[in-house]
Amino acid sequence: MPPVRVAGILADLWAASPDGSELAGGLVHGCARALPVSGVGLALMTERGPAGTVAATDGPALELEDLQYTLGEGPCVDASRSGRPVLQPDLAATAPQRWPAFAGGALAAGVAAVFAFPLRVGAIRVGVLDLYRATPGTLDVEQLREALSFADAATLLLLYLQTRTGSTELGPEALTVLDDRGEVHQATGVVSVQAGVGLAEAVALLRARAYAEQRPVGDVARDVLAGTADFTTRQDDR
């Protein structure tokens, strides 16, 4: 990635938001303007998967991130896990076989193509920059280079935002995310105790219930905290 271009992207962001309050939003909107895509999302990632959406250009971009958080599968999950971009120019042709749970929701949201770029520092997972198109289509070599430059800028931006909060670890508590994931993390602990499983499996149980009921995982988490949803009997395994 050309470092001059990355520096230029960051300089433009600072010029548009001198107080730093709109840096993440500026990056996703700038990326969407620079490339032939319909929208862009920026999400935090951890070893356990998606941790929250930092910025999104529009509803479908936000829905794309929320689907991957709820289901624990999709292009951004694979990109973060492998450390390599996941380029899917025609989701209708490839997603049903690769991500069967994710495919239907993404296509229904109007997402026809996805290009997911992992944001990493060495082996540390920082986040993912997701670009989507409302119609199938690829990115050419120059467009791919531009997308990678925005991914490099996004990595530096997330690291900066992390240090500005004083946090020592990137996660949903380190940055302001568009959707409050605090309830999900609290509910994960409750489900872990109720079902007698580890936190990773508790997250999987929450996501499975949300998928089965066709509801956002945040809604199921709120039911758990309110005592109206109980995982003691492992209902999802019936």
Side-chain angles (χ1 to χ4, degrees):
M1 283 67 71
V4 173
R5 177 54 182 145
V6 175
I9 292 170
L10 294 172
D12 289 343
L13 293 177
W14 277 111
S17 180
D19 65 354
S21 62
E22 300 296 331
L23 293 174
L27 184 137
V28 296
H29 283 282
C31 184
R33 288 192 298 269
L35 291 161
V37 297
S38 303
V40 178
L42 175 62
L44 294 176
M45 298 294 293
T46 69
E47 295 297 320
R48 290 180 294 181
T53 304
V54 179
T57 55
D58 55 15
L62 187 58
E63 178 69 12
L64 178 67
E65 304 301 344
D66 192 60
L67 275 170
Q68 295 179 101
Y69 180 90
T70 299
L71 302 170
E73 71 170 34
C76 91
V77 178
D78 284 7
S80 180
R81 184 178 296 124
S82 68
R84 297 187 299 273
V86 173
L87 310 178
Q88 295 289 306
D90 188 351
L91 278 185
T94 58
Q97 294 76 34
R98 187 165 181 177
W99 307 290
F102 164 82
L107 294 170
V111 177
V114 176
F115 311 97
F117 299 88
L119 312 180
R120 284 192 170 204
V121 179
I124 300 174
R125 301 177 189 183
V126 177
V128 171
L129 187 68
D130 284 324
L131 287 59
Y132 87 88
R133 295 186 63 172
T135 57
T138 61
L139 297 178
D140 64 28
V141 173
E142 288 301 318
Q143 292 162 353
L144 182 58
R145 184 178 292 115
E146 179 77 343
L148 289 168
S149 293
F150 270 95
D152 274 3
T155 302
L156 295 172
L157 177 61
L158 288 182
L159 292 174
Y160 163 75
L161 294 175
Q162 175 194 10
T163 60
R164 196 172 70 168
T165 65
S167 174
T168 58
E169 180 181 358
L170 274 175
E173 295 81 21
L175 300 176
T176 300
V177 294
L178 296 182
D179 37 0
D180 184 8
R181 300 303 186 185
E183 291 169 319
V184 174
H185 290 277
Q186 293 175 34
T188 297
V190 174
V191 173
S192 176
V193 172
Q194 289 180 345
V197 298
L199 292 176
E201 187 174 352
V203 170
L205 288 173
L206 271 175
R207 287 172 171 163
R209 178 74 63 85
Y211 178 66
E213 297 179 0
Q214 295 294 295
R215 300 169 62 204
V217 69
D219 288 355
V220 177
R222 282 186 281 277
D223 287 350
V224 170
L225 296 176
T228 58
D230 185 7
F231 285 75
T232 302
T233 56
R234 301 291 297 277
Q235 296 174 11
D236 295 271
D237 290 342
R238 290 180 180 178

